[in-house]
Amino acid sequence: MKKRIEADILDINDFFEKYNKDLVSRDLINYILDNSKDILDNDEVEIVLNKAIDIKLESILRTSLKTKYQEELNEHYHNNKMQVVYFFIGVLMLIISRIFNDRALIEELFLIGGWVLIWQTVEIEFFRDTLNHKKRKILKKLINSKIIEKNI
């Protein structure tokens, strides 16, 4: 199935960031991502830029989508590092809670703290990474999509 995403670029400020004319507007990137949420694996994607400006936009948009994809990958790697750290600190706290077996308050503090960190690891994996995985998949599809520029 063919999925078409259209955006009207009536002014240079519709395409570029307000304070940095080297970057594509975050609003435009978010608009494209929002309209891509229902894209399936076998869909063919087409981005149509209806423009009233005389600038070649395709390569700039593609580069910005690649940058956004790389940001999402960096966040994924950061989440993975945090999961490992939280898990090992959580296990260490559970072991320490067993050492303080005779002191109930300290034992409970370490026990609760350890389980909180382990559950934080699970939360990152099942919630944050799941949403980011879908976003990365869509961005990859958008990077490889056909970008059409139409003068209006």
Side-chain angles (χ1 to χ4, degrees), residues 80-119:
N80 285 347
K81 288 178 192 175
M82 293 309 297
Q83 284 177 290
V84 170
V85 169
Y86 287 164
F87 181 75
F88 282 120
I89 292 174
V91 168
L92 180 66
M93 289 180 79
L94 291 176
I95 292 169
I96 291 172
S97 77
R98 292 289 103 205
I99 293 171
F100 289 111
N101 213 2
D102 55 338
R103 296 187 185 108
L105 180 64
I106 295 174
E107 176 191 4
E108 285 298 315
L109 288 175
F110 277 102
L111 184 68
I112 292 169
W115 280 115
V116 166
L117 288 173
I118 290 173
W119 277 110

mmCIF file of all heavy atoms in Angstrom, residues 80-119:
data_model
loop_
_atom_site.group_PDB
_atom_site.id
_atom_site.type_symbol
_atom_site.label_atom_id
_atom_site.label_comp_id
_atom_site.label_asym_id
_atom_site.label_seq_id
_atom_site.Cartn_x
_atom_site.Cartn_y
_atom_site.Cartn_z
ATOM 1 N N ASN A 80 20.294 1.112 27.078
ATOM 2 C CA ASN A 80 20.896 -0.200 27.325
ATOM 3 C C ASN A 80 21.970 -0.131 28.403
ATOM 4 O O ASN A 80 22.052 -1.009 29.267
ATOM 5 C CB ASN A 80 21.487 -0.772 26.039
ATOM 6 C CG ASN A 80 20.426 -1.282 25.097
ATOM 7 O OD1 ASN A 80 19.271 -1.439 25.472
ATOM 8 N ND2 ASN A 80 20.813 -1.533 23.864
ATOM 9 N N LYS A 81 22.787 0.907 28.373
ATOM 10 C CA LYS A 81 23.825 1.076 29.405
ATOM 11 C C LYS A 81 23.181 1.255 30.783
ATOM 12 O O LYS A 81 23.635 0.669 31.763
ATOM 13 C CB LYS A 81 24.702 2.289 29.090
ATOM 14 C CG LYS A 81 25.635 2.095 27.938
ATOM 15 C CD LYS A 81 26.418 3.374 27.687
ATOM 16 C CE LYS A 81 27.152 3.330 26.382
ATOM 17 N NZ LYS A 81 27.806 4.607 26.071
ATOM 18 N N MET A 82 22.143 2.074 30.829
ATOM 19 C CA MET A 82 21.470 2.316 32.109
ATOM 20 C C MET A 82 20.837 1.037 32.644
ATOM 21 O O MET A 82 20.852 0.785 33.850
ATOM 22 C CB MET A 82 20.405 3.413 31.960
ATOM 23 C CG MET A 82 20.975 4.789 31.668
ATOM 24 S SD MET A 82 22.281 5.295 32.803
ATOM 25 C CE MET A 82 21.409 5.358 34.332
ATOM 26 N N GLN A 83 20.291 0.214 31.759
ATOM 27 C CA GLN A 83 19.696 -1.056 32.199
ATOM 28 C C GLN A 83 20.744 -1.944 32.861
ATOM 29 O O GLN A 83 20.475 -2.543 33.903
ATOM 30 C CB GLN A 83 19.087 -1.801 31.005
ATOM 31 C CG GLN A 83 17.776 -1.238 30.548
ATOM 32 C CD GLN A 83 17.274 -1.975 29.339
ATOM 33 O OE1 GLN A 83 17.825 -1.855 28.257
ATOM 34 N NE2 GLN A 83 16.219 -2.742 29.521
ATOM 35 N N VAL A 84 21.915 -2.039 32.266
ATOM 36 C CA VAL A 84 22.983 -2.879 32.830
ATOM 37 C C VAL A 84 23.401 -2.341 34.197
ATOM 38 O O VAL A 84 23.522 -3.104 35.164
ATOM 39 C CB VAL A 84 24.188 -2.953 31.868
ATOM 40 C CG1 VAL A 84 25.389 -3.602 32.530
ATOM 41 C CG2 VAL A 84 23.806 -3.699 30.599
ATOM 42 N N VAL A 85 23.584 -1.020 34.275
ATOM 43 C CA VAL A 85 24.001 -0.412 35.544
ATOM 44 C C VAL A 85 22.933 -0.622 36.616
ATOM 45 O O VAL A 85 23.242 -1.057 37.737
ATOM 46 C CB VAL A 85 24.304 1.098 35.342
ATOM 47 C CG1 VAL A 85 24.482 1.807 36.671
ATOM 48 C CG2 VAL A 85 25.537 1.281 34.468
ATOM 49 N N TYR A 86 21.677 -0.323 36.298
ATOM 50 C CA TYR A 86 20.597 -0.501 37.270
ATOM 51 C C TYR A 86 20.481 -1.951 37.726
ATOM 52 O O TYR A 86 20.283 -2.231 38.907
ATOM 53 C CB TYR A 86 19.253 -0.061 36.690
ATOM 54 C CG TYR A 86 19.060 1.427 36.537
ATOM 55 C CD1 TYR A 86 18.048 1.931 35.734
ATOM 56 C CD2 TYR A 86 19.870 2.344 37.198
ATOM 57 C CE1 TYR A 86 17.855 3.288 35.587
ATOM 58 C CE2 TYR A 86 19.687 3.690 37.052
ATOM 59 C CZ TYR A 86 18.678 4.167 36.252
ATOM 60 O OH TYR A 86 18.481 5.508 36.111
ATOM 61 N N PHE A 87 20.605 -2.880 36.785
ATOM 62 C CA PHE A 87 20.466 -4.287 37.142
ATOM 63 C C PHE A 87 21.570 -4.719 38.105
ATOM 64 O O PHE A 87 21.293 -5.335 39.137
ATOM 65 C CB PHE A 87 20.484 -5.160 35.886
ATOM 66 C CG PHE A 87 20.325 -6.614 36.176
ATOM 67 C CD1 PHE A 87 19.083 -7.131 36.521
ATOM 68 C CD2 PHE A 87 21.418 -7.464 36.139
ATOM 69 C CE1 PHE A 87 18.939 -8.479 36.816
ATOM 70 C CE2 PHE A 87 21.286 -8.812 36.426
ATOM 71 C CZ PHE A 87 20.035 -9.322 36.766
ATOM 72 N N PHE A 88 22.834 -4.386 37.793
ATOM 73 C CA PHE A 88 23.934 -4.823 38.655
ATOM 74 C C PHE A 88 23.901 -4.144 40.019
ATOM 75 O O PHE A 88 24.150 -4.785 41.040
ATOM 76 C CB PHE A 88 25.289 -4.624 37.973
ATOM 77 C CG PHE A 88 25.583 -5.679 36.954
ATOM 78 C CD1 PHE A 88 25.787 -5.344 35.626
ATOM 79 C CD2 PHE A 88 25.621 -7.015 37.306
ATOM 80 C CE1 PHE A 88 26.048 -6.323 34.675
ATOM 81 C CE2 PHE A 88 25.878 -8.006 36.377
ATOM 82 C CZ PHE A 88 26.086 -7.653 35.057
ATOM 83 N N ILE A 89 23.557 -2.862 40.055
ATOM 84 C CA ILE A 89 23.445 -2.192 41.351
ATOM 85 C C ILE A 89 22.279 -2.790 42.147
ATOM 86 O O ILE A 89 22.378 -2.994 43.369
ATOM 87 C CB ILE A 89 23.281 -0.667 41.176
ATOM 88 C CG1 ILE A 89 24.578 -0.065 40.619
ATOM 89 C CG2 ILE A 89 22.930 0.002 42.504
ATOM 90 C CD1 ILE A 89 24.484 1.404 40.270
ATOM 91 N N GLY A 90 21.164 -3.097 41.464
ATOM 92 C CA GLY A 90 20.018 -3.720 42.132
ATOM 93 C C GLY A 90 20.374 -5.062 42.729
ATOM 94 O O GLY A 90 20.024 -5.360 43.883
ATOM 95 N N VAL A 91 21.071 -5.910 41.965
ATOM 96 C CA VAL A 91 21.492 -7.226 42.478
ATOM 97 C C VAL A 91 22.452 -7.058 43.651
ATOM 98 O O VAL A 91 22.347 -7.761 44.667
ATOM 99 C CB VAL A 91 22.117 -8.073 41.345
ATOM 100 C CG1 VAL A 91 22.806 -9.302 41.898
ATOM 101 C CG2 VAL A 91 21.053 -8.458 40.324
ATOM 102 N N LEU A 92 23.377 -6.101 43.528
ATOM 103 C CA LEU A 92 24.321 -5.840 44.616
ATOM 104 C C LEU A 92 23.576 -5.412 45.884
ATOM 105 O O LEU A 92 23.898 -5.875 46.988
ATOM 106 C CB LEU A 92 25.321 -4.758 44.197
ATOM 107 C CG LEU A 92 26.375 -4.385 45.228
ATOM 108 C CD1 LEU A 92 27.309 -5.574 45.466
ATOM 109 C CD2 LEU A 92 27.154 -3.171 44.768
ATOM 110 N N MET A 93 22.557 -4.574 45.724
ATOM 111 C CA MET A 93 21.783 -4.141 46.891
ATOM 112 C C MET A 93 21.003 -5.304 47.507
ATOM 113 O O MET A 93 20.872 -5.384 48.733
ATOM 114 C CB MET A 93 20.836 -3.004 46.509
ATOM 115 C CG MET A 93 21.572 -1.703 46.226
ATOM 116 S SD MET A 93 20.487 -0.357 45.781
ATOM 117 C CE MET A 93 19.892 0.131 47.384
ATOM 118 N N LEU A 94 20.505 -6.219 46.678
ATOM 119 C CA LEU A 94 19.824 -7.402 47.216
ATOM 120 C C LEU A 94 20.806 -8.283 48.000
ATOM 121 O O LEU A 94 20.449 -8.833 49.058
ATOM 122 C CB LEU A 94 19.172 -8.205 46.089
ATOM 123 C CG LEU A 94 17.970 -7.549 45.397
ATOM 124 C CD1 LEU A 94 17.494 -8.408 44.235
ATOM 125 C CD2 LEU A 94 16.852 -7.294 46.383
ATOM 126 N N ILE A 95 22.013 -8.411 47.500
ATOM 127 C CA ILE A 95 23.041 -9.200 48.216
ATOM 128 C C ILE A 95 23.389 -8.527 49.540
ATOM 129 O O ILE A 95 23.491 -9.195 50.582
ATOM 130 C CB ILE A 95 24.289 -9.383 47.326
ATOM 131 C CG1 ILE A 95 23.943 -10.296 46.139
ATOM 132 C CG2 ILE A 95 25.457 -9.936 48.127
ATOM 133 C CD1 ILE A 95 25.013 -10.342 45.066
ATOM 134 N N ILE A 96 23.527 -7.203 49.502
ATOM 135 C CA ILE A 96 23.839 -6.472 50.745
ATOM 136 C C ILE A 96 22.696 -6.610 51.750
ATOM 137 O O ILE A 96 22.943 -6.730 52.960
ATOM 138 C CB ILE A 96 24.136 -4.981 50.434
ATOM 139 C CG1 ILE A 96 25.458 -4.865 49.672
ATOM 140 C CG2 ILE A 96 24.181 -4.145 51.697
ATOM 141 C CD1 ILE A 96 25.758 -3.478 49.147
ATOM 142 N N SER A 97 21.466 -6.640 51.261
ATOM 143 C CA SER A 97 20.332 -6.801 52.189
ATOM 144 C C SER A 97 20.411 -8.144 52.909
ATOM 145 O O SER A 97 19.988 -8.268 54.059
ATOM 146 C CB SER A 97 18.998 -6.659 51.458
ATOM 147 O OG SER A 97 18.675 -7.818 50.735
ATOM 148 N N ARG A 98 20.916 -9.158 52.266
ATOM 149 C CA ARG A 98 21.084 -10.473 52.902
ATOM 150 C C ARG A 98 22.211 -10.436 53.943
ATOM 151 O O ARG A 98 22.158 -11.159 54.942
ATOM 152 C CB ARG A 98 21.409 -11.553 51.862
ATOM 153 C CG ARG A 98 20.295 -11.872 50.904
ATOM 154 C CD ARG A 98 19.162 -12.619 51.580
ATOM 155 N NE ARG A 98 18.051 -11.706 51.834
ATOM 156 C CZ ARG A 98 17.134 -11.840 52.751
ATOM 157 N NH1 ARG A 98 17.138 -12.863 53.546
ATOM 158 N NH2 ARG A 98 16.187 -10.970 52.910
ATOM 159 N N ILE A 99 23.217 -9.574 53.702
ATOM 160 C CA ILE A 99 24.327 -9.459 54.665
ATOM 161 C C ILE A 99 23.835 -8.832 55.971
ATOM 162 O O ILE A 99 24.232 -9.240 57.056
ATOM 163 C CB ILE A 99 25.489 -8.636 54.054
ATOM 164 C CG1 ILE A 99 26.113 -9.422 52.899
ATOM 165 C CG2 ILE A 99 26.539 -8.293 55.099
ATOM 166 C CD1 ILE A 99 27.114 -8.633 52.085
ATOM 167 N N PHE A 100 22.963 -7.810 55.839
ATOM 168 C CA PHE A 100 22.424 -7.140 57.023
ATOM 169 C C PHE A 100 21.161 -7.846 57.515
ATOM 170 O O PHE A 100 20.158 -7.215 57.842
ATOM 171 C CB PHE A 100 22.102 -5.666 56.713
ATOM 172 C CG PHE A 100 23.310 -4.814 56.526
ATOM 173 C CD1 PHE A 100 23.623 -4.297 55.277
ATOM 174 C CD2 PHE A 100 24.134 -4.516 57.596
ATOM 175 C CE1 PHE A 100 24.726 -3.504 55.101
ATOM 176 C CE2 PHE A 100 25.254 -3.727 57.431
ATOM 177 C CZ PHE A 100 25.554 -3.212 56.183
ATOM 178 N N ASN A 101 21.203 -9.141 57.601
ATOM 179 C CA ASN A 101 20.065 -9.971 57.974
ATOM 180 C C ASN A 101 19.563 -9.685 59.384
ATOM 181 O O ASN A 101 18.378 -9.787 59.669
ATOM 182 C CB ASN A 101 20.462 -11.448 57.854
ATOM 183 C CG ASN A 101 19.303 -12.307 57.448
ATOM 184 O OD1 ASN A 101 18.216 -11.824 57.219
ATOM 185 N ND2 ASN A 101 19.552 -13.589 57.359
ATOM 186 N N ASP A 102 20.482 -9.294 60.274
ATOM 187 C CA ASP A 102 20.100 -9.085 61.670
ATOM 188 C C ASP A 102 19.594 -7.669 61.951
ATOM 189 O O ASP A 102 19.039 -7.406 63.001
ATOM 190 C CB ASP A 102 21.284 -9.415 62.597
ATOM 191 C CG ASP A 102 22.527 -8.620 62.236
ATOM 192 O OD1 ASP A 102 22.636 -8.159 61.077
ATOM 193 O OD2 ASP A 102 23.397 -8.464 63.117
ATOM 194 N N ARG A 103 19.760 -6.740 61.017
ATOM 195 C CA ARG A 103 19.277 -5.353 61.181
ATOM 196 C C ARG A 103 18.114 -5.140 60.212
ATOM 197 O O ARG A 103 18.312 -4.921 59.022
ATOM 198 C CB ARG A 103 20.412 -4.378 60.890
ATOM 199 C CG ARG A 103 21.545 -4.514 61.869
ATOM 200 C CD ARG A 103 22.562 -3.424 61.635
ATOM 201 N NE ARG A 103 23.694 -3.619 62.499
ATOM 202 C CZ ARG A 103 24.890 -4.019 62.100
ATOM 203 N NH1 ARG A 103 25.115 -4.264 60.830
ATOM 204 N NH2 ARG A 103 25.873 -4.146 62.959
ATOM 205 N N ALA A 104 16.926 -5.183 60.747
ATOM 206 C CA ALA A 104 15.715 -5.198 59.923
ATOM 207 C C ALA A 104 15.557 -3.951 59.055
ATOM 208 O O ALA A 104 15.223 -4.054 57.875
ATOM 209 C CB ALA A 104 14.484 -5.374 60.810
ATOM 210 N N LEU A 105 15.816 -2.770 59.601
ATOM 211 C CA LEU A 105 15.618 -1.523 58.847
ATOM 212 C C LEU A 105 16.580 -1.439 57.662
ATOM 213 O O LEU A 105 16.159 -1.163 56.528
ATOM 214 C CB LEU A 105 15.774 -0.311 59.770
ATOM 215 C CG LEU A 105 15.598 1.044 59.088
ATOM 216 C CD1 LEU A 105 14.178 1.186 58.561
ATOM 217 C CD2 LEU A 105 15.929 2.174 60.036
ATOM 218 N N ILE A 106 17.837 -1.664 57.904
ATOM 219 C CA ILE A 106 18.847 -1.597 56.839
ATOM 220 C C ILE A 106 18.582 -2.687 55.800
ATOM 221 O O ILE A 106 18.676 -2.441 54.592
ATOM 222 C CB ILE A 106 20.268 -1.706 57.436
ATOM 223 C CG1 ILE A 106 20.554 -0.495 58.326
ATOM 224 C CG2 ILE A 106 21.306 -1.797 56.329
ATOM 225 C CD1 ILE A 106 21.852 -0.550 59.078
ATOM 226 N N GLU A 107 18.227 -3.875 56.277
ATOM 227 C CA GLU A 107 17.914 -4.971 55.351
ATOM 228 C C GLU A 107 16.763 -4.586 54.432
ATOM 229 O O GLU A 107 16.833 -4.777 53.215
ATOM 230 C CB GLU A 107 17.548 -6.235 56.132
ATOM 231 C CG GLU A 107 17.127 -7.382 55.236
ATOM 232 C CD GLU A 107 16.512 -8.534 56.017
ATOM 233 O OE1 GLU A 107 16.343 -8.432 57.235
ATOM 234 O OE2 GLU A 107 16.182 -9.541 55.354
ATOM 235 N N GLU A 108 15.698 -4.019 54.995
ATOM 236 C CA GLU A 108 14.526 -3.628 54.193
ATOM 237 C C GLU A 108 14.870 -2.512 53.213
ATOM 238 O O GLU A 108 14.405 -2.515 52.072
ATOM 239 C CB GLU A 108 13.372 -3.197 55.098
ATOM 240 C CG GLU A 108 12.663 -4.330 55.774
ATOM 241 C CD GLU A 108 12.002 -5.284 54.792
ATOM 242 O OE1 GLU A 108 11.348 -4.822 53.832
ATOM 243 O OE2 GLU A 108 12.133 -6.506 54.993
ATOM 244 N N LEU A 109 15.667 -1.531 53.650
ATOM 245 C CA LEU A 109 16.052 -0.433 52.755
ATOM 246 C C LEU A 109 16.807 -0.961 51.527
ATOM 247 O O LEU A 109 16.518 -0.563 50.383
ATOM 248 C CB LEU A 109 16.897 0.598 53.498
ATOM 249 C CG LEU A 109 16.154 1.474 54.499
ATOM 250 C CD1 LEU A 109 17.128 2.356 55.257
ATOM 251 C CD2 LEU A 109 15.120 2.332 53.789
ATOM 252 N N PHE A 110 17.773 -1.809 51.745
ATOM 253 C CA PHE A 110 18.541 -2.365 50.631
ATOM 254 C C PHE A 110 17.672 -3.290 49.768
ATOM 255 O O PHE A 110 17.809 -3.315 48.542
ATOM 256 C CB PHE A 110 19.785 -3.111 51.133
ATOM 257 C CG PHE A 110 20.945 -2.192 51.398
ATOM 258 C CD1 PHE A 110 21.259 -1.811 52.693
ATOM 259 C CD2 PHE A 110 21.716 -1.708 50.356
ATOM 260 C CE1 PHE A 110 22.332 -0.958 52.943
ATOM 261 C CE2 PHE A 110 22.777 -0.865 50.593
ATOM 262 C CZ PHE A 110 23.093 -0.477 51.891
ATOM 263 N N LEU A 111 16.783 -4.039 50.391
ATOM 264 C CA LEU A 111 15.899 -4.935 49.658
ATOM 265 C C LEU A 111 14.961 -4.148 48.736
ATOM 266 O O LEU A 111 14.846 -4.444 47.536
ATOM 267 C CB LEU A 111 15.086 -5.789 50.641
ATOM 268 C CG LEU A 111 14.187 -6.853 50.028
ATOM 269 C CD1 LEU A 111 15.031 -7.944 49.385
ATOM 270 C CD2 LEU A 111 13.288 -7.443 51.105
ATOM 271 N N ILE A 112 14.341 -3.124 49.273
ATOM 272 C CA ILE A 112 13.430 -2.298 48.475
ATOM 273 C C ILE A 112 14.196 -1.551 47.379
ATOM 274 O O ILE A 112 13.778 -1.511 46.223
ATOM 275 C CB ILE A 112 12.646 -1.321 49.383
ATOM 276 C CG1 ILE A 112 11.679 -2.104 50.276
ATOM 277 C CG2 ILE A 112 11.896 -0.280 48.548
ATOM 278 C CD1 ILE A 112 11.063 -1.285 51.382
ATOM 279 N N GLY A 113 15.328 -0.969 47.751
ATOM 280 C CA GLY A 113 16.143 -0.239 46.767
ATOM 281 C C GLY A 113 16.602 -1.136 45.625
ATOM 282 O O GLY A 113 16.591 -0.740 44.451
ATOM 283 N N GLY A 114 16.992 -2.358 45.948
ATOM 284 C CA GLY A 114 17.431 -3.303 44.918
ATOM 285 C C GLY A 114 16.311 -3.658 43.958
ATOM 286 O O GLY A 114 16.498 -3.672 42.740
ATOM 287 N N TRP A 115 15.124 -3.921 44.515
ATOM 288 C CA TRP A 115 13.992 -4.270 43.648
ATOM 289 C C TRP A 115 13.528 -3.090 42.807
ATOM 290 O O TRP A 115 13.117 -3.254 41.656
ATOM 291 C CB TRP A 115 12.836 -4.848 44.461
ATOM 292 C CG TRP A 115 13.063 -6.286 44.782
ATOM 293 C CD1 TRP A 115 13.235 -6.830 46.009
ATOM 294 C CD2 TRP A 115 13.179 -7.369 43.847
ATOM 295 N NE1 TRP A 115 13.453 -8.183 45.914
ATOM 296 C CE2 TRP A 115 13.420 -8.543 44.584
ATOM 297 C CE3 TRP A 115 13.117 -7.465 42.468
ATOM 298 C CZ2 TRP A 115 13.589 -9.786 43.993
ATOM 299 C CZ3 TRP A 115 13.275 -8.714 41.867
ATOM 300 C CH2 TRP A 115 13.508 -9.840 42.629
ATOM 301 N N VAL A 116 13.609 -1.891 43.353
ATOM 302 C CA VAL A 116 13.242 -0.696 42.568
ATOM 303 C C VAL A 116 14.152 -0.565 41.353
ATOM 304 O O VAL A 116 13.695 -0.311 40.241
ATOM 305 C CB VAL A 116 13.287 0.578 43.448
ATOM 306 C CG1 VAL A 116 13.255 1.838 42.590
ATOM 307 C CG2 VAL A 116 12.151 0.577 44.451
ATOM 308 N N LEU A 117 15.443 -0.750 41.542
ATOM 309 C CA LEU A 117 16.384 -0.643 40.423
ATOM 310 C C LEU A 117 16.171 -1.757 39.393
ATOM 311 O O LEU A 117 16.251 -1.521 38.193
ATOM 312 C CB LEU A 117 17.827 -0.650 40.933
ATOM 313 C CG LEU A 117 18.248 0.638 41.652
ATOM 314 C CD1 LEU A 117 19.621 0.472 42.278
ATOM 315 C CD2 LEU A 117 18.225 1.815 40.702
ATOM 316 N N ILE A 118 15.879 -2.947 39.854
ATOM 317 C CA ILE A 118 15.622 -4.047 38.915
ATOM 318 C C ILE A 118 14.334 -3.783 38.135
ATOM 319 O O ILE A 118 14.277 -3.997 36.919
ATOM 320 C CB ILE A 118 15.587 -5.398 39.659
ATOM 321 C CG1 ILE A 118 17.016 -5.742 40.120
ATOM 322 C CG2 ILE A 118 15.018 -6.499 38.768
ATOM 323 C CD1 ILE A 118 17.122 -6.944 41.005
ATOM 324 N N TRP A 119 13.303 -3.274 38.792
ATOM 325 C CA TRP A 119 12.062 -2.959 38.081
ATOM 326 C C TRP A 119 12.247 -1.775 37.131
ATOM 327 O O TRP A 119 11.593 -1.697 36.093
ATOM 328 C CB TRP A 119 10.917 -2.706 39.055
ATOM 329 C CG TRP A 119 10.312 -3.998 39.485
ATOM 330 C CD1 TRP A 119 10.397 -4.564 40.714
ATOM 331 C CD2 TRP A 119 9.568 -4.905 38.673
ATOM 332 N NE1 TRP A 119 9.748 -5.783 40.724
ATOM 333 C CE2 TRP A 119 9.221 -6.010 39.477
ATOM 334 C CE3 TRP A 119 9.149 -4.903 37.348
ATOM 335 C CZ2 TRP A 119 8.491 -7.086 39.014
ATOM 336 C CZ3 TRP A 119 8.418 -5.979 36.869
ATOM 337 C CH2 TRP A 119 8.102 -7.045 37.692
#
